[in-house]
Amino acid sequence: MLGLQKPLGKAVLQLVAHKALKHSFERLRMWPQFAYLPHRSTRDALLRASAYCQAVRNLVLQKRSVHQTTVLQPHFSCVGGIQLFLDLTRAFDALPRSVLATALSNAKLTPQLQSILLAWHIGTNDNIAINNTVRCIPVSRGVRQGCCSAPYLWSTAMVLLLNELQDTIPLQWIKDHISIYADDLHIFCLFYNEQDLTDCIYFFEAVIMAIDRMGLKLSPQKLCLLLKGKGPGFLLWKKRYCVTSKTLQPYLFLCDGSLRIPIMKKCLYLGAVMSYGDFQKQTVAVRVNVGWNNFRNFSLGLANGTRFL
């Protein structure tokens, strides 16, 4: 749903959104939400993800020397890393207005600011004209994409999601192991034993169920899980919980088997490749390939006499 606005209305609402952000910034900035907030960008989310991938790679690849074995250094039975990538389906269009109202209240805005922002969305209609026939359809969900208040409203909704996770996940774990950028969620953790890995899976499921309670849906085609580990305990866990299809694609089932997530070797996240391998070179290869494709399309357009400007 696009929110086309007249210039004067856009200017007024932009002032309201700016005042709302200024009023609630300290509350929003404490959460790992990296889109639509000052002094935060895609770079912050990518740095967290790449630092984690590097940590897992170092952990799994490290080997015990003869000296370490002699002095009885601890030997890990189950060690490694697991990360889950979630993408929301039509997230901006699907956000319930009741959740939006709760999110603004959670942001501790003044009642006046809450009323103005909600009034701009509640009671709206889509006027659809086809063959001289006009239909007025009430809109009860979503924020207006293109509306200058939409980024702020979405940020408050994602902060509400993170805030409600405290009922099942420790606050520090949320801050250290979850990144949200717009409608992309990245959950990641290291594990040093079977219990750590079990806790990670439990936290994954808690996030998925919290998303469902908010009335939002996941995009099944964009679900991705990366898993890397070593040790007899890890191999036993993997054999018990991971299933391989006839096409040799491994899956992990979450939420009592209702959600099947493919286990991949790499995943594209915010334009960069995340993996437990050489993700730096993999990202360069992807970006170079995209650049060459754009160059070929541009060259083809010039050869055909297409005017780009």
Side-chain angles (χ1 to χ4, degrees), residues 52 59 78-82 189-198 200 227-230 234:
Y52 160 76
L59 178 64
C78 179
V79 64
I82 184 171
C189 67
L190 294 166
F191 54 87
Y192 297 92
N193 52 56
E194 291 88 340
Q195 186 58 50
D196 286 347
L197 184 52
T198 301
C200 290
L227 176 64
K228 186 73 173 180
K230 67 177 182 179
F234 171 75

Side-chain angles (χ1 to χ4, degrees), residues 45-47 49-54 57 83 85 186 224 226 264-290:
L46 288 175
L47 285 175
S50 59
Y52 160 76
C53 289
Q54 183 67 51
R57 187 168 63 184
Q83 55 183 318
F85 297 89
H186 181 212
C224 179
L226 304 184
M264 311 297 290
K265 292 184 178 180
K266 59 183 179 181
C267 180
L268 191 63
Y269 174 63
L270 303 180
V273 176
M274 294 296 125
S275 76
Y276 298 125
D278 199 344
F279 60 88
Q280 298 94 332
K281 288 185 178 180
Q282 293 168 350
T283 297
V284 170
V286 167
R287 302 313 303 166
V288 168
N289 185 56
V290 170

Side-chain angles (χ1 to χ4, degrees), residues 28-261:
L28 299 181
R29 68 186 289 271
M30 65 175 288
W31 299 100
Q33 205 284 106
F34 298 100
Y36 313 131
L37 291 178
H39 315 300
R40 293 189 178 183
S41 66
T42 315
R43 183 173 181 268
D44 298 302
L46 288 175
L47 285 175
R48 278 167 65 98
S50 59
Y52 160 76
C53 289
Q54 183 67 51
V56 174
R57 187 168 63 184
N58 294 340
L59 178 64
V60 174
L61 293 180
Q62 70 178 8
K63 297 182 179 180
R64 291 159 54 88
S65 65
V66 176
H67 172 71
Q68 290 174 322
T69 304
T70 303
V71 297
L72 299 178
Q73 290 289 329
H75 179 73
F76 295 110
S77 170
C78 179
V79 64
I82 184 171
Q83 55 183 318
L84 176 64
F85 297 89
L86 303 174
D87 186 85
L88 303 179
T89 300
R90 301 183 61 189
F92 283 77
D93 294 334
L95 185 67
R97 298 289 163 77
S98 58
V99 173
L100 181 58
T102 304
L104 292 177
S105 177
N106 179 70
K108 303 301 182 183
L109 288 183
T110 63
Q112 294 84 355
L113 286 174
Q114 293 183 46
S115 298
I116 295 174
L117 291 170
L118 288 174
W120 189 256
H121 287 79
I122 294 177
T124 55
N125 302 294
D126 279 346
N127 297 314
I128 302 176
I130 302 177
N131 297 330
N132 298 323
T133 302
V134 179
R135 292 288 182 88
C136 182
I137 301 176
V139 179
S140 59
R141 303 173 71 90
V143 295
R144 297 179 175 187
Q145 296 191 53
C147 171
C148 55
S149 66
Y152 172 77
L153 296 176
W154 180 256
S155 296
T156 61
M158 290 298 95
V159 166
L160 176 64
L161 170 66
L162 293 172
N163 186 65
E164 293 190 348
L165 287 175
Q166 292 185 78
D167 294 336
T168 52
I169 305 177
L171 174 60
Q172 196 58 47
W173 199 98
I174 295 173
K175 292 182 177 181
D176 293 341
H177 301 284
I178 299 179
S179 295
I180 297 181
Y181 190 90
D183 57 355
D184 291 311
L185 285 82
H186 181 212
I187 317 166
F188 51 93
C189 67
L190 294 166
F191 54 87
Y192 297 92
N193 52 56
E194 291 88 340
Q195 186 58 50
D196 286 347
L197 184 52
T198 301
D199 290 342
C200 290
I201 299 300
Y202 174 75
F203 295 155
F204 287 175
E205 293 178 331
V207 173
I208 293 170
M209 289 186 289
I211 291 172
D212 184 69
R213 287 195 298 270
M214 287 185 65
L216 301 174
K217 302 298 180 183
L218 298 174
S219 175
Q221 298 81 9
K222 296 183 179 181
L223 296 178
C224 179
L225 186 137
L226 304 184
L227 176 64
K228 186 73 173 180
K230 67 177 182 179
F234 171 75
L235 296 178
L236 182 62
W237 182 93
K238 189 175 180 181
K239 183 178 180 180
R240 182 182 305 165
Y241 295 104
C242 299
V243 178
T244 302
S245 66
K246 295 181 179 179
T247 60
L248 302 182
Q249 170 63 55
Y251 291 93
L252 178 66
F253 288 86
L254 298 178
C255 302
D256 296 326
S258 62
L259 187 63
R260 187 181 71 167
I261 302 180

